[in-house]
Amino acid sequence: MGTALVYHEDMTATRLLWDDPECEIECPERLTAALDGLRQRGLQQRCLCLTACEASEEELGMVHSPEYVALVRRTQTLDKEELQALSKQFDAVYFHPNTFHCARLAVGAALQLVDAVLTGAVHNGLALVRPPGHHSQKEAANGFCVFNNVAIAAKHAKQKYGLQRILIVDWDIHHGQGIQYIFDDDPSVLYFSWHRYEHGRFWPFLQESDAHAVGQGQGQGFTVNLPWNQFDPELVLVSAGFDSAIGDPEGRMRATPECFAHLTQLMQVLAGGRICAVLEGGYHLESLAQSVCMMVQTLLGDPTPPLLGLMVPCQSALESIQSVQTAQAPHWTSLQQNVAPVLGPSTRFPEGRSLPLLAENPTYEAAEAALSPLQGELCLRPTPPICTAVALAVPGAALALPPGVLLQEESALREETEAWARLHKSLFQDESLVALGKILCLLGGILDGQVRNGIAVTAALATAATVEVIIQRCLSHGAQRLLCVALGQLDRPLDLADDGVLWLNIRGKEAAVESMFHISTPLPQTTGGFLSCILGLVLPLAYGFQPDVVLMALGPAHGLQNAQAALLASVLRGPAGGRILAVVEEESILQLARTLAQVLLGEAPPSLGPFLMASPEEIRALRLLKAQLEPRWKLLQAAAPPPGSCSPIA
Ligand code: Q9C
Ligand code: ZN
């Protein structure tokens, strides 16, 4: 099981035949640049490469009218003047004698990818295609798009595999109005798009790209910008446009290539990891190539490189999120109990005010400058030879571990282990001393870059002392920032310097902020409360802190179900580039160690089970923490509201 890459070089055979500054950016080099990037970094070689076949006219007919398909078919025999005249009938479109062939290959590639994922041949994949698809409509080409590749793929997944819930995430910088129209009244396809809007002044200049568009009829609530885990989809299709990336002449935004690794990783916890991504826009060749590589690398299971920069959300982004929540609240019970405080009138931008976005954005030269050092860094960060290692206190228990994990047999030097143990004299003896030696060796592997992540199983009652040793060892080994997410009865070690360690304890007691680096919150008892806690508190704190290493410690009476522990471990892989050590007590919970090993190897976490709304006390606790922590941890301002019921209000 791996990652599919679907492509056909014939898709480079369509191009603009006349002068048109608007359309010239949609060029064949987009595909060759992306592919060269993948090849140079050895990523293509790690994928299952599939050659695209043309979609049939019947397949096109799932979305497009026979008249429109016939019209595109006829372009094969038109001359240049006729092609140009026809192109003018649409907005931002050009036709070429090869357009029909390429557009059918693009659809065919998307369908093959869905087949590969849904038959279980691969976990996930990317279709590198052109022309793109998300602006295309039943009877119209639009915005370089001829057939709607992703929409046809969604129809195919419903018809051929009987899927009932498909999530489409569209991260192209333009609104995919084509997909929105096609599924406007269809509640089985949730269309999520983020896009540049500028209060309607950004192409395609549509009112219906705004937050108030929520779908029609039965489909109300299914055209949305929505936090990512509520709908519980069976398949995730990504309209993967990279024109939101830095340097893009269309989008003029500044998402770094790394952002796409993190976006991809967030999607990976959904739908059992079944992700089909299909290329849409992206017109700065180097930025496109790097962003595609970031996505494919993450699909392949590699850790995400750290996100650099100031972790502060901008005011206008917060306002956009707020207005989406307001528009969606009538359709999703979850959004009615909103953790986020409503923005005061003084902070709101008046509707329609144009923001100085263009002036602030980088020129191409600036983008090149920002991209090239990143390149260097990418090459300098080698993949650790070992992905996941497990240190067990009792060796026999290894049988239950998934294949692919390294069993940590080696121990740290005896003197070293004893020196650490002396700090906690009464707690490490015999068996627990042996376990400590292995854990120290495993931790050393993580800190030296030999091992990506690990699980440490401690002997009975030794968890707290082990956590103390791990923290001290990390700090003495040059870790600048260590995030500790501690569950159950574990106290923050005394005499820790602030700043270096962010201690977040999720335990039975009430919410409390001892300091900006010492926080505790109760473990929610509902799925909704748990998701709110993870998405609305843990994740913003983790990304805001930018740790080098994450320690997830399950102490006595942690009360976490295996699926909850798996989701937590899965999201905590993001902020520290996958450097995470999970500490669990005793082999008695070996099933837990097994589940954790699976997610640390890159598998999707299991389902959390039936959905229960967060309780009022859980919401109150989160609100309280948010209010107290926001001055220091600004990402909390953008925190998702607590997720609610799995289906919208009828
Ligand atoms: N210069 C895709 O990204 N041009 N289509 C807008 C502003 C059309 C974008 C005019 C952009 C179409 C798939
Ligand atoms: Zn676009």
Side-chain angles (χ1 to χ4, degrees), residues 225-242:
N225 286 352
L226 194 77
W228 42 268
N229 64 338
Q230 298 183 40
F231 176 62
D232 196 15
E234 299 160 309
L235 175 68
V236 179
L237 297 175
V238 181
S239 264
F242 297 94

PDB file of all heavy atoms in Angstrom, residues 225-242:
ATOM      1  N   ASN A 225     -17.349  26.268   4.212  1.00  0.00           N
ATOM      2  CA  ASN A 225     -16.027  26.252   4.803  1.00  0.00           C
ATOM      3  C   ASN A 225     -16.243  25.766   6.222  1.00  0.00           C
ATOM      4  O   ASN A 225     -16.932  26.414   6.992  1.00  0.00           O
ATOM      5  CB  ASN A 225     -15.431  27.648   4.872  1.00  0.00           C
ATOM      6  CG  ASN A 225     -15.007  28.120   3.523  1.00  0.00           C
ATOM      7  OD1 ASN A 225     -15.024  27.367   2.557  1.00  0.00           O
ATOM      8  ND2 ASN A 225     -14.622  29.370   3.447  1.00  0.00           N
ATOM      9  N   LEU A 226     -15.654  24.669   6.535  1.00  0.00           N
ATOM     10  CA  LEU A 226     -16.013  24.001   7.775  1.00  0.00           C
ATOM     11  C   LEU A 226     -14.769  23.382   8.382  1.00  0.00           C
ATOM     12  O   LEU A 226     -13.938  22.874   7.673  1.00  0.00           O
ATOM     13  CB  LEU A 226     -17.016  22.907   7.402  1.00  0.00           C
ATOM     14  CG  LEU A 226     -17.798  22.260   8.494  1.00  0.00           C
ATOM     15  CD1 LEU A 226     -18.903  23.182   8.949  1.00  0.00           C
ATOM     16  CD2 LEU A 226     -18.401  20.979   7.972  1.00  0.00           C
ATOM     17  N   PRO A 227     -14.645  23.410   9.714  1.00  0.00           N
ATOM     18  CA  PRO A 227     -13.528  22.671  10.318  1.00  0.00           C
ATOM     19  C   PRO A 227     -13.565  21.224   9.850  1.00  0.00           C
ATOM     20  O   PRO A 227     -14.626  20.691   9.564  1.00  0.00           O
ATOM     21  CB  PRO A 227     -13.813  22.760  11.809  1.00  0.00           C
ATOM     22  CG  PRO A 227     -14.667  23.967  11.962  1.00  0.00           C
ATOM     23  CD  PRO A 227     -15.467  24.072  10.720  1.00  0.00           C
ATOM     24  N   TRP A 228     -12.415  20.606   9.846  1.00  0.00           N
ATOM     25  CA  TRP A 228     -12.253  19.465   8.970  1.00  0.00           C
ATOM     26  C   TRP A 228     -12.720  18.115   9.435  1.00  0.00           C
ATOM     27  O   TRP A 228     -12.504  17.120   8.793  1.00  0.00           O
ATOM     28  CB  TRP A 228     -10.799  19.327   8.564  1.00  0.00           C
ATOM     29  CG  TRP A 228      -9.797  19.542   9.630  1.00  0.00           C
ATOM     30  CD1 TRP A 228      -9.193  20.729   9.933  1.00  0.00           C
ATOM     31  CD2 TRP A 228      -9.260  18.581  10.533  1.00  0.00           C
ATOM     32  NE1 TRP A 228      -8.318  20.552  10.963  1.00  0.00           N
ATOM     33  CE2 TRP A 228      -8.336  19.258  11.355  1.00  0.00           C
ATOM     34  CE3 TRP A 228      -9.453  17.217  10.738  1.00  0.00           C
ATOM     35  CZ2 TRP A 228      -7.617  18.612  12.350  1.00  0.00           C
ATOM     36  CZ3 TRP A 228      -8.736  16.587  11.731  1.00  0.00           C
ATOM     37  CH2 TRP A 228      -7.834  17.279  12.524  1.00  0.00           C
ATOM     38  N   ASN A 229     -13.374  17.970  10.582  1.00  0.00           N
ATOM     39  CA  ASN A 229     -13.590  16.585  11.028  1.00  0.00           C
ATOM     40  C   ASN A 229     -15.035  16.226  11.311  1.00  0.00           C
ATOM     41  O   ASN A 229     -15.281  15.267  12.027  1.00  0.00           O
ATOM     42  CB  ASN A 229     -12.812  16.360  12.285  1.00  0.00           C
ATOM     43  CG  ASN A 229     -13.370  17.248  13.344  1.00  0.00           C
ATOM     44  OD1 ASN A 229     -13.995  18.232  13.008  1.00  0.00           O
ATOM     45  ND2 ASN A 229     -13.194  16.887  14.565  1.00  0.00           N
ATOM     46  N   GLN A 230     -16.018  16.991  10.842  1.00  0.00           N
ATOM     47  CA  GLN A 230     -17.367  16.750  11.357  1.00  0.00           C
ATOM     48  C   GLN A 230     -18.206  15.829  10.518  1.00  0.00           C
ATOM     49  O   GLN A 230     -19.125  15.194  10.992  1.00  0.00           O
ATOM     50  CB  GLN A 230     -18.087  18.091  11.475  1.00  0.00           C
ATOM     51  CG  GLN A 230     -17.383  18.982  12.443  1.00  0.00           C
ATOM     52  CD  GLN A 230     -18.130  20.256  12.596  1.00  0.00           C
ATOM     53  OE1 GLN A 230     -19.359  20.275  12.642  1.00  0.00           O
ATOM     54  NE2 GLN A 230     -17.410  21.322  12.660  1.00  0.00           N
ATOM     55  N   PHE A 231     -17.943  15.815   9.258  1.00  0.00           N
ATOM     56  CA  PHE A 231     -18.822  15.170   8.298  1.00  0.00           C
ATOM     57  C   PHE A 231     -18.514  13.673   8.247  1.00  0.00           C
ATOM     58  O   PHE A 231     -19.333  12.874   7.847  1.00  0.00           O
ATOM     59  CB  PHE A 231     -18.541  15.867   6.969  1.00  0.00           C
ATOM     60  CG  PHE A 231     -19.235  15.368   5.750  1.00  0.00           C
ATOM     61  CD1 PHE A 231     -20.608  15.392   5.635  1.00  0.00           C
ATOM     62  CD2 PHE A 231     -18.476  14.922   4.674  1.00  0.00           C
ATOM     63  CE1 PHE A 231     -21.220  14.975   4.460  1.00  0.00           C
ATOM     64  CE2 PHE A 231     -19.088  14.508   3.511  1.00  0.00           C
ATOM     65  CZ  PHE A 231     -20.455  14.532   3.408  1.00  0.00           C
ATOM     66  N   ASP A 232     -17.348  13.265   8.712  1.00  0.00           N
ATOM     67  CA  ASP A 232     -16.890  11.885   8.731  1.00  0.00           C
ATOM     68  C   ASP A 232     -16.965  11.250   7.352  1.00  0.00           C
ATOM     69  O   ASP A 232     -17.661  10.262   7.143  1.00  0.00           O
ATOM     70  CB  ASP A 232     -17.719  11.069   9.754  1.00  0.00           C
ATOM     71  CG  ASP A 232     -17.036   9.747  10.087  1.00  0.00           C
ATOM     72  OD1 ASP A 232     -15.848   9.589   9.766  1.00  0.00           O
ATOM     73  OD2 ASP A 232     -17.712   8.863  10.639  1.00  0.00           O
ATOM     74  N   PRO A 233     -16.265  11.829   6.384  1.00  0.00           N
ATOM     75  CA  PRO A 233     -16.361  11.352   5.005  1.00  0.00           C
ATOM     76  C   PRO A 233     -15.746   9.969   4.821  1.00  0.00           C
ATOM     77  O   PRO A 233     -14.939   9.528   5.639  1.00  0.00           O
ATOM     78  CB  PRO A 233     -15.562  12.387   4.212  1.00  0.00           C
ATOM     79  CG  PRO A 233     -14.565  12.905   5.190  1.00  0.00           C
ATOM     80  CD  PRO A 233     -15.256  12.896   6.528  1.00  0.00           C
ATOM     81  N   GLU A 234     -16.154   9.317   3.735  1.00  0.00           N
ATOM     82  CA  GLU A 234     -15.592   8.021   3.370  1.00  0.00           C
ATOM     83  C   GLU A 234     -14.421   8.180   2.398  1.00  0.00           C
ATOM     84  O   GLU A 234     -13.642   7.256   2.186  1.00  0.00           O
ATOM     85  CB  GLU A 234     -16.682   7.166   2.711  1.00  0.00           C
ATOM     86  CG  GLU A 234     -17.857   6.892   3.638  1.00  0.00           C
ATOM     87  CD  GLU A 234     -19.110   6.477   2.881  1.00  0.00           C
ATOM     88  OE1 GLU A 234     -19.505   7.179   1.930  1.00  0.00           O
ATOM     89  OE2 GLU A 234     -19.690   5.457   3.241  1.00  0.00           O
ATOM     90  N   LEU A 235     -14.352   9.340   1.768  1.00  0.00           N
ATOM     91  CA  LEU A 235     -13.309   9.617   0.779  1.00  0.00           C
ATOM     92  C   LEU A 235     -13.068  11.123   0.776  1.00  0.00           C
ATOM     93  O   LEU A 235     -14.005  11.904   0.907  1.00  0.00           O
ATOM     94  CB  LEU A 235     -13.786   9.174  -0.616  1.00  0.00           C
ATOM     95  CG  LEU A 235     -12.875   9.485  -1.807  1.00  0.00           C
ATOM     96  CD1 LEU A 235     -11.590   8.667  -1.743  1.00  0.00           C
ATOM     97  CD2 LEU A 235     -13.589   9.210  -3.130  1.00  0.00           C
ATOM     98  N   VAL A 236     -11.812  11.517   0.658  1.00  0.00           N
ATOM     99  CA  VAL A 236     -11.495  12.938   0.527  1.00  0.00           C
ATOM    100  C   VAL A 236     -10.893  13.179  -0.859  1.00  0.00           C
ATOM    101  O   VAL A 236      -9.902  12.542  -1.228  1.00  0.00           O
ATOM    102  CB  VAL A 236     -10.492  13.416   1.606  1.00  0.00           C
ATOM    103  CG1 VAL A 236     -10.166  14.891   1.417  1.00  0.00           C
ATOM    104  CG2 VAL A 236     -11.043  13.169   3.004  1.00  0.00           C
ATOM    105  N   LEU A 237     -11.534  14.054  -1.625  1.00  0.00           N
ATOM    106  CA  LEU A 237     -10.963  14.481  -2.902  1.00  0.00           C
ATOM    107  C   LEU A 237     -10.387  15.870  -2.682  1.00  0.00           C
ATOM    108  O   LEU A 237     -11.033  16.711  -2.066  1.00  0.00           O
ATOM    109  CB  LEU A 237     -12.053  14.558  -3.984  1.00  0.00           C
ATOM    110  CG  LEU A 237     -12.765  13.257  -4.345  1.00  0.00           C
ATOM    111  CD1 LEU A 237     -13.889  13.528  -5.345  1.00  0.00           C
ATOM    112  CD2 LEU A 237     -11.775  12.278  -4.942  1.00  0.00           C
ATOM    113  N   VAL A 238      -9.187  16.106  -3.163  1.00  0.00           N
ATOM    114  CA  VAL A 238      -8.610  17.436  -3.002  1.00  0.00           C
ATOM    115  C   VAL A 238      -8.480  18.082  -4.372  1.00  0.00           C
ATOM    116  O   VAL A 238      -7.849  17.523  -5.277  1.00  0.00           O
ATOM    117  CB  VAL A 238      -7.220  17.378  -2.319  1.00  0.00           C
ATOM    118  CG1 VAL A 238      -6.662  18.777  -2.154  1.00  0.00           C
ATOM    119  CG2 VAL A 238      -7.306  16.689  -0.971  1.00  0.00           C
ATOM    120  N   SER A 239      -9.094  19.256  -4.535  1.00  0.00           N
ATOM    121  CA  SER A 239      -8.846  20.084  -5.702  1.00  0.00           C
ATOM    122  C   SER A 239      -7.581  20.849  -5.392  1.00  0.00           C
ATOM    123  O   SER A 239      -7.606  21.910  -4.783  1.00  0.00           O
ATOM    124  CB  SER A 239     -10.017  21.052  -5.924  1.00  0.00           C
ATOM    125  OG  SER A 239     -10.910  20.524  -6.863  1.00  0.00           O
ATOM    126  N   ALA A 240      -6.458  20.238  -5.761  1.00  0.00           N
ATOM    127  CA  ALA A 240      -5.174  20.725  -5.281  1.00  0.00           C
ATOM    128  C   ALA A 240      -4.601  21.772  -6.223  1.00  0.00           C
ATOM    129  O   ALA A 240      -3.835  21.465  -7.131  1.00  0.00           O
ATOM    130  CB  ALA A 240      -4.208  19.548  -5.109  1.00  0.00           C
ATOM    131  N   GLY A 241      -5.004  23.011  -6.004  1.00  0.00           N
ATOM    132  CA  GLY A 241      -4.426  24.130  -6.742  1.00  0.00           C
ATOM    133  C   GLY A 241      -3.312  24.719  -5.903  1.00  0.00           C
ATOM    134  O   GLY A 241      -3.432  24.794  -4.685  1.00  0.00           O
ATOM    135  N   PHE A 242      -2.221  25.107  -6.555  1.00  0.00           N
ATOM    136  CA  PHE A 242      -1.101  25.655  -5.805  1.00  0.00           C
ATOM    137  C   PHE A 242      -0.885  27.118  -6.172  1.00  0.00           C
ATOM    138  O   PHE A 242       0.212  27.649  -6.037  1.00  0.00           O
ATOM    139  CB  PHE A 242       0.148  24.795  -6.028  1.00  0.00           C
ATOM    140  CG  PHE A 242      -0.036  23.387  -5.505  1.00  0.00           C
ATOM    141  CD1 PHE A 242      -0.465  22.365  -6.345  1.00  0.00           C
ATOM    142  CD2 PHE A 242       0.147  23.099  -4.161  1.00  0.00           C
ATOM    143  CE1 PHE A 242      -0.668  21.079  -5.859  1.00  0.00           C
ATOM    144  CE2 PHE A 242      -0.064  21.815  -3.658  1.00  0.00           C
ATOM    145  CZ  PHE A 242      -0.470  20.804  -4.510  1.00  0.00           C
TER     146      PHE A 242
END
